[in-house]
């Protein structure tokens, strides 16, 4: 028997066997055999039977029965109310299947004993149950088609947007890969630049060292070295005078012992006597010889040079001159002991502020002595005696430096030297003027 959208035709008794066969195919019901009239009603057939396997098998047969194949589509699961409605539909569907089974059972019972009236009644009941199932199917197909059209209409713009987003994602991934390549390239360029900067830094240091050496050895820079040496002697004399004063030394008497009979324009000018004493000791017994001063010039702090090579020629120069400049009585009055002297005599260099100031002064004297002969092997060192007539060609007055006054030639001739502070140098045709102290009261 076929199921269609039109009302099925009522079968007669002649085609009842055909109906039974078709019904058996649709429902996949296993025959329960022949029942006698004594068999009572089976109460277990009244229960709803939920058999998912049976439903799965029946669905394909029903689809062919209606000449229409139903494809499953993903649907959104609604909220709680829709879920309850779906359960109610399933319950009605399984109740209808159970009723169909019972009607088919009654149809079988009507054949033994054979009763045409019961067969017709049972046949009508089976047809009625089949109509219920067909109605369920029509409603499901209609509702499912509506949902499918609705979902398709709603998913179309979403799918278009997904496609667009995926295209954008691919574009962004491509851009990200390009950026990663650029970053890697820039990082390599940065490494090359850093390596180049390092090489340039080394070259700059080398050039700077060469410039220092060339600057020291050039005639035009000798004046700067001379001024640096003079200033370093002045800087060392200041703490020396302060320590002597703090230790109770009579500075006037000490100045007179250094330069006896010197006439000073002002009392504070006696500091030049101490500078003259230091310079006299530093340049005492020096024979001008040529030597390389670049090893000392590369150190900003000469004490570092002493630490790196405590037995160099410069280190020996510092040791000899310290023992000559700082008298044992002076050192003992300063520090209460002779530890500095003992340390120096043992070939070491004390790491104290006082000795570091001395090393700084010794550095510039050392550089001045070495550079003079390196420029001109015939270079000479000259000194000025007390009472000498002031000569602007070979002398420079410390009073002029302090007061920024320029004396006329006639005034200079009438001034005489009280004492020499720094010796002068004759380097080729160039003269590095000696620094001297003259008194305005010493007219000849």
């Amino acid at each position: 028997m076929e199921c269609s959208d039109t009302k099925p035709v009522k079968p007669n008794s002649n085609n009842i066997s055909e109906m039974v066969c078709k019904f058996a195919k649709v429902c996949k019901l296993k025959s329960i055999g022949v029942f006698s009239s004594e068999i009572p009603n089976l109460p277990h057939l009244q229960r709803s039977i939920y058999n998912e396997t049976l439903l799965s098998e029946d669905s394909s047969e029903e689809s062919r029965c209606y000449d229409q194949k139903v494809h499953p589509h993903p649907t959104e699961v609604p909220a709680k109310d829709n879920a309850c409605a779906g359960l109610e539909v399933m319950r009605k569907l399984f109740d209808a299947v159970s009723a169909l089974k019972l009607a088919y059972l009654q149809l079988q019972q009507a054949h033994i004993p054979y009763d045409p009236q019961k067969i017709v009644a049972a046949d009508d009941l089976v047809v009625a149950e089949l109509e219920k199932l067909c109605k369920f199917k029509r409603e499901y197909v209609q509702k499912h088609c509506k949902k499918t059209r609705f979902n398709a209409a709603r998913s179309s713009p979403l799918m278009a947007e997904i496609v667009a987003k995926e295209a954008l994602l691919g574009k962004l991934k491509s851009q990200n890969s390009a950026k990663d390549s650029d970053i890697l390239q820039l990082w390599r360029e940065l490494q090359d630049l850093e390596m180049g900067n390092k090489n340039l830094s080394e070259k700059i240091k080398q050039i700077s060292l060469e410039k220092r050496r060339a600057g020291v050895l050039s005639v035009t820079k000798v004046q700067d070295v001379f001024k640096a040496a003079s200033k370093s002697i002045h800087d060392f004399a200041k703490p020396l005078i302060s320590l002597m004063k703090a230790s109770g030394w009579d500075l006037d008497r000490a100045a007179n012992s250094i330069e006896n009979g010197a006439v000073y324009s002002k009392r504070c000018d006696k500091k030049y006597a101490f500078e003259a004493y230091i310079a006299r000791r530093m340049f005492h017994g020096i024979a001008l010889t040529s030597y390389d001063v670049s090893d000392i010039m590369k150190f900003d702090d000469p004490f570092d040079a002493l630490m790196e090579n405590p037995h160099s020629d410069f280190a020996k120069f510092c040791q000899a001159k310290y023992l000559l400049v700082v008298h044992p009585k002076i050192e003992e009055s300063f520090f209460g002991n002779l530890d500095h002297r003992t340390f120096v005599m043992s070939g070491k260099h004390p790491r104290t502020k006082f000795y570091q100031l001395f090393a700084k002064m010794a550095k510039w004297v050392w550089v001045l002595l070495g550079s003079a002969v390196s420029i001109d092997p015939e270079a000479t060192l000259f000194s000025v005696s007390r009472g000498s007539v002031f000569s602007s060609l070979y002398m420079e007055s410390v009073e002029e430096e302090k007061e920024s006054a320029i004396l006329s030639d006639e005034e200079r001739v009438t001034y005489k030297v009280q004492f020499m502070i720094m010796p002068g140098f004759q380097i080729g045709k160039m003269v590095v003027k000696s620094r001297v102290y003259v008194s305005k009261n010493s007219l000849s």
Side-chain angles (χ1 to χ4, degrees):
M1 182 177 293
E2 294 183 352
C3 296
S4 63
D5 293 340
T6 60
K7 184 176 181 180
V9 179
K10 181 177 179 181
N12 53 30
S13 59
N14 295 327
N15 60 5
I16 190 67
S17 298
E18 182 181 355
M19 288 177 55
V20 171
C21 293
K22 289 184 177 182
F23 176 75
K25 289 180 181 180
V26 174
C27 297
K28 297 288 184 177
L29 297 176
K30 185 177 180 181
S31 176
I32 60 175
V34 178
F35 291 85
S36 64
S37 59
E38 288 82 12
I39 297 177
N41 293 333
L42 300 178
H44 64 277
L45 294 178
Q46 303 295 332
R47 293 180 299 174
S48 299
I49 302 171
Y50 299 91
N51 191 324
E52 294 181 358
T53 305
L54 183 60
L55 287 175
S56 176
E57 294 174 354
D58 290 345
S59 60
S60 61
E61 292 294 331
E62 289 180 352
S63 297
R64 287 194 295 270
C65 180
Y66 282 86
D67 297 329
Q68 189 176 12
K69 189 172 183 180
V70 179
H71 296 280
H73 292 279
T75 57
E76 295 183 3
V77 179
K80 188 174 181 180
D81 293 341
N82 292 337
C84 294
L87 292 175
E88 181 65 22
V89 171
M90 292 298 293
R91 186 187 65 79
K92 291 181 179 180
L93 178 61
F94 284 115
D95 288 345
V97 172
S98 298
L100 181 59
K101 289 181 179 180
L102 184 60
Y104 179 67
L105 179 60
Q106 293 177 2
L107 180 61
Q108 285 184 323
Q109 290 176 341
H111 282 74
I112 301 174
Y114 186 81
D115 188 347
Q117 292 182 354
K118 288 184 178 181
I119 290 173
V120 172
D123 180 65
D124 291 340
L125 183 58
V126 169
V127 171
E129 296 300 331
L130 285 174
E131 286 179 345
K132 288 182 181 180
L133 289 175
C134 290
K135 183 179 179 181
F136 275 123
K137 180 178 179 180
R138 286 195 301 271
E139 290 178 352
Y140 173 80
V141 171
Q142 292 176 359
K143 185 176 181 181
H144 184 72
C145 290
K146 289 181 180 179
K147 286 185 178 180
T148 302
R149 288 194 297 269
F150 175 78
N151 292 335
R154 188 171 61 174
S155 62
S156 295
L158 292 177
M159 289 300 298
E161 185 177 359
I162 289 173
V163 172
K165 295 295 184 182
E166 288 178 348
L168 179 60
L169 179 60
K171 182 179 179 181
L172 292 175
K173 286 182 177 180
S174 177
Q175 292 178 355
N176 185 57
S177 299
K179 294 294 183 183
D180 289 341
S181 300
D182 293 341
I183 290 172
L184 181 60
Q185 181 65 26
L186 291 174
W187 182 81
R188 290 175 178 172
E189 293 178 1
L190 178 61
Q191 295 295 108
D192 294 339
L193 289 174
E194 288 179 350
M195 183 61 67
N197 288 339
K198 185 177 181 180
N199 295 335
L200 288 175
S201 179
E202 294 295 331
K203 290 181 180 179
I204 290 172
K205 288 181 180 180
Q206 185 66 26
I207 292 172
S208 177
L209 181 60
E210 294 175 356
K211 284 184 176 181
R212 284 184 180 183
R213 183 183 303 174
V216 171
L217 299 180
S218 65
V219 176
T220 57
K221 293 296 182 180
V222 172
Q223 290 285 359
D224 295 335
V225 176
F226 182 84
K227 290 179 179 179
S230 299
K231 184 178 183 303
S232 65
I233 291 174
H234 171 75
D235 293 342
F236 180 73
K238 287 177 65 176
L240 183 69
I241 294 171
S242 298
L243 288 171
M244 290 179 68
K245 185 176 180 180
S247 301
W249 285 77
D250 187 342
L251 298 182
D252 293 333
R253 186 176 177 182
N256 291 333
S257 66
I258 295 171
E259 297 294 342
N260 187 25
V263 178
Y264 300 96
S265 300
K266 295 184 289 291
R267 184 173 181 271
C268 62
D269 288 347
K270 291 183 177 181
K271 63 184 179 182
Y272 294 117
F274 294 95
E275 292 184 24
Y277 166 79
I278 296 172
R280 194 178 304 152
R281 294 288 184 174
M282 293 299 295
F283 289 97
H284 175 73
I286 294 297
L288 295 180
T289 57
S290 177
Y291 49 83
D292 187 11
V293 299
S294 60
D295 291 338
I296 303 301
M297 291 300 293
K298 69 181 182 181
F299 293 97
D300 293 331
D301 187 352
F303 195 81
D304 294 337
L306 296 176
M307 293 296 100
E308 181 173 297
N309 191 356
H311 303 293
S312 63
D313 291 339
F314 173 67
K316 294 177 181 178
F317 176 79
C318 290
Q319 291 168 350
K321 291 304 177 182
Y322 179 84
L323 298 176
L324 193 61
V325 171
V326 183
H327 194 274
K329 291 183 178 180
I330 295 177
E331 181 179 331
E332 187 175 10
S333 67
F334 289 171
F335 309 110
N337 53 57
L338 296 177
D339 290 348
H340 280 69
R341 195 174 192 85
T342 304
F343 211 73
V344 171
M345 290 177 68
S346 65
K348 300 179 181 178
H349 304 277
R351 189 184 291 273
T352 62
K353 185 67 176 178
F354 183 77
Y355 192 82
Q356 287 176 346
L357 287 173
F358 172 81
K360 185 175 182 181
M361 175 189 66
K363 166 192 172 181
W364 288 111
V365 174
W366 171 264
V367 172
L368 178 61
L369 294 172
S371 60
V373 181
S374 297
I375 295 172
D376 182 9
E378 302 298 326
T380 58
L381 181 151
F382 65 87
S383 59
V384 179
S385 302
R386 177 184 293 183
S388 300
V389 177
F390 182 84
S391 172
S392 59
L393 294 177
Y394 296 95
M395 304 175 198
E396 184 178 43
S397 173
V398 293
E399 288 294 297
E400 287 187 59
E401 295 175 358
K402 184 175 66 174
E403 298 177 2
S404 300
I406 301 176
L407 301 177
S408 64
D409 291 339
E410 294 180 358
E411 290 177 325
R412 284 171 176 164
V413 170
T414 60
Y415 279 67
K416 290 187 178 181
V417 176
Q418 290 296 306
F419 54 87
M420 181 190 70
I421 300 174
M422 281 283 291
F425 291 85
Q426 178 76 46
I427 305 175
K429 295 182 179 180
M430 185 189 73
V431 175
V432 179
K433 296 180 181 181
S434 171
R435 296 178 69 239
V436 297
Y437 180 80
V438 297
S439 175
K440 295 180 181 180
N441 298 325
S442 60
L443 296 175
S444 59

